[in-house]
Amino acid sequence: LVGSGSIGQVGLFLDQARYLVVSNLAIRQTGTALSILRGQNLFFDGLRCTQMATNGVIVALSTNVEFRHALLGGSASYAWYGVTNTSTRLVHTMFTSNRTGAIYLSGGSLGITNSVFVLNEAGLALFTVANNGVIRSDYNNYRVNQLANLANYNGRLHKYPASWLEATTNDLHSLSHDPGFVAVDDYHPVSTVG
């Protein structure tokens, strides 16, 4: 799906959707790529949301929603915006070039594993968590600009993975290094073979 780039435009809106599987969907140049309200038991595999005028994905008041093998990049605000969800998961997902940060979570919970985060903008945070939201994350790779923060967690800044780990017990097995992509907008790994 390709939109006009209008802020009010939503690529796909799901209200009270249940037991749905969506595979290999690409949405770009809309206000918000995907908006889910009161969804249950939803599974997205291979979702690619790029060049959004606001947030990439919004999930609100939903239960058991999972994203796998997603690319969420180039949003003017957050890549993933969640409000009071339970059993929501991001697995094998790539977050890059989102102007405000990768994830905003207000209340509820979010699990994140085996994902890659790139944040090059100074002064921002990959995670912004408010209203007693809870993130459980591990086995991720964080590439954060020296002037950015890893998390703003319920009003407390965590600049480095060590302070994030100490405060939350998250990301015990996570890494923080260059993921080795060909370019900022080309997510193929750099090959020494050619």
Side-chain angles (χ1 to χ4, degrees), residues 148-193:
N149 297 293
L150 182 65
N152 179 347
Y153 202 71
N154 291 311
R156 187 161 178 231
L157 287 176
H158 298 281
K159 184 165 186 60
Y160 302 106
S163 69
W164 170 246
L165 171 64
E166 183 180 322
T168 64
T169 68
N170 282 330
D171 293 298
L172 179 63
H173 304 98
S174 293
L175 304 171
S176 183
H177 65 84
D178 186 346
F181 296 125
V182 172
V184 173
D185 58 351
D186 184 350
Y187 308 112
H188 293 91
V190 174
S191 171
T192 57
V193 180

Side-chain angles (χ1 to χ4, degrees), residues 19-41:
Y19 303 100
L20 180 66
V21 175
V22 177
S23 295
N24 299 315
L25 177 63
I27 304 172
R28 63 185 170 95
Q29 297 176 340
T30 63
T32 298
L34 173 63
S35 182
I36 302 168
L37 180 61
R38 296 182 298 267
Q40 291 182 3
N41 301 307

Side-chain angles (χ1 to χ4, degrees), residues 38-185:
R38 296 182 298 267
Q40 291 182 3
N41 301 307
L42 307 176
F43 183 81
F44 298 87
D45 186 36
L47 178 68
R48 292 174 308 282
C49 303
T50 57
Q51 303 170 11
M52 299 301 120
T54 61
N55 298 299
V57 173
I58 298 174
V59 182
L61 306 171
S62 297
T63 303
N64 197 27
V65 179
E66 183 168 321
F67 295 86
R68 285 189 176 266
H69 309 110
L71 168 62
L72 303 175
S75 294
S77 190
Y78 291 97
W80 194 92
Y81 191 99
V83 180
T84 317
N85 300 298
T86 56
S87 300
T88 305
R89 295 167 303 284
L90 300 163
V91 182
H92 299 289
T93 297
M94 172 70 192
F95 296 85
T96 186
S97 301
N98 298 291
R99 289 193 196 110
T100 306
I103 293 174
Y104 179 88
L105 179 66
S106 178
S109 62
L110 175 64
I112 309 164
T113 54
N114 296 307
S115 295
V116 176
F117 295 83
V118 178
L119 180 64
N120 293 318
E121 289 77 12
L124 300 180
L126 281 177
F127 303 138
T128 299
V129 181
N131 299 317
N132 297 314
V134 176
I135 289 180
R136 291 290 172 233
S137 59
D138 207 356
Y139 298 98
N140 299 302
N141 183 24
Y142 301 108
R143 179 68 170 167
V144 181
N145 177 304
Q146 290 181 331
L147 300 175
N149 297 293
L150 182 65
N152 179 347
Y153 202 71
N154 291 311
R156 187 161 178 231
L157 287 176
H158 298 281
K159 184 165 186 60
Y160 302 106
S163 69
W164 170 246
L165 171 64
E166 183 180 322
T168 64
T169 68
N170 282 330
D171 293 298
L172 179 63
H173 304 98
S174 293
L175 304 171
S176 183
H177 65 84
D178 186 346
F181 296 125
V182 172
V184 173
D185 58 351

